[in-house]
Amino acid sequence: GENVEQHPSTLSVQEGDSAVIKCTYSDSASNYFPWYKQELGKGPQLIIDIRSNVGEKKDQRIAVTLNKTAKHFSLHITETQPEDSAVYFCAAIINTPLVFGKGTRLSVIA
Amino acid sequence: DSGVTQTPKHLITATGQRVTLRCSPRSGDLSVYWYQQSLDQGLQFLIQYYNGEERAKGNILERFSAQQFPDLHSELNLSSLELGDSALYFCASSVGAGVGTGELFFGEGSRLTVL
């Protein structure tokens, strides 16, 4: 089955700096790569996703890039703000179920 | 608010006991997924139901079972509980049978503590 590795496990950045979280996947047939944000005491929530026929997608301060050849994808957050502090999960899927990485705890220091 | 409702939010029980976690999916969603979240293991997929039928199975222990009822709500039964079963259990729902057809909507989780 699919296996997703996520790095780093923790990340601290100064407010206003950029943050990058990287994931690799094992199954080249995976075709959908979402990112979820989990705030304290809440369930994960989808923030951005990308499909295998697209190399990059951007939504305001967040962007995701996909390199199918290398089987890795990354989340980029620019101009970080305190409210970006959360745990971020990458995931990959062929059909079902969604396989998640172990998460990255992002702390944005004001 | 994701529209997915999980009860109870917190549950404390003893080893050897049995508990039932309940999930009501978003209106119109036919798939229900159960995930286990522990500190060092991230989100581990347990099982998926689609319109009442088991669709996919992950590393769910034999002591655990689930079902989806005709009204589409789902229950996760955990029996012969062990200390290591202490975790946050999430339910999620989606419209279709495959996640590629849309996002997963997560509930706020049920925190199980086994003493």
Side-chain angles (χ1 to χ4, degrees), chain B residues 20-36:
Chain B
T20 297
L21 309 181
R22 181 188 169 99
C23 169
S24 294
R26 284 191 330 152
S27 176
D29 284 359
L30 299 179
S31 271
V32 169
Y33 309 77
W34 287 97
Y35 282 85
Q36 180 191 55

Side-chain angles (χ1 to χ4, degrees), chain A residues 2-96:
Chain A
E2 177 62 276
N3 182 50
V4 178
E5 298 284 337
Q6 183 171 348
H7 301 279
S9 57
T10 60
L11 178 61
S12 291
V13 299
Q14 292 290 327
E15 183 178 357
D17 287 350
S18 295
V20 180
I21 302 170
K22 299 182 179 181
C23 291
T24 59
Y25 59 99
S26 61
D27 195 329
S28 57
S30 288
N31 56 15
Y32 176 62
F33 307 92
W35 287 87
Y36 283 76
K37 175 183 181 183
Q38 184 179 17
E39 297 177 341
L40 194 63
K42 304 212 173 215
Q45 183 175 11
L46 179 72
I47 55 171
I48 194 168
D49 57 12
I50 192 167
R51 297 191 182 272
S52 58
N53 59 345
V54 176
E56 183 174 357
K57 184 176 179 180
K58 190 173 181 180
D59 183 4
Q60 298 183 341
R61 295 187 298 107
I62 60 174
V64 57
T65 59
L66 172 65
N67 183 327
K68 287 190 295 183
T69 303
K71 289 190 286 187
H72 67 69
F73 55 114
S74 301
L75 177 71
H76 304 254
I77 306 174
T78 58
E79 300 172 18
T80 53
Q81 301 168 4
E83 53 264 38
D84 295 328
S85 296
V87 178
Y88 292 81
F89 292 95
C90 63
I93 189 171
I94 300 171
N95 182 25
T96 195

Side-chain angles (χ1 to χ4, degrees), chain A residues 31-32 34 36 38 41-46 49 51 87 89 93-103 105, chain B residues 33 35 37 40-45 48 55-56 88 90 97-109:
Chain A
N31 56 15
Y32 176 62
Y36 283 76
Q38 184 179 17
K42 304 212 173 215
Q45 183 175 11
L46 179 72
D49 57 12
R51 297 191 182 272
V87 178
F89 292 95
I93 189 171
I94 300 171
N95 182 25
T96 195
L98 207 52
V99 177
F100 287 90
K102 291 192 176 183
R105 182 174 299 278
Chain B
Y33 309 77
Y35 282 85
Q37 184 176 39
D40 59 347
Q41 291 299 317
L43 286 161
Q44 296 290 311
F45 170 71
Q48 177 199 357
R55 175 77 177 183
L88 197 51
F90 282 107
V99 178
T101 59
E103 71 181 272
L104 285 188
F105 293 87
F106 282 83
E108 295 196 340

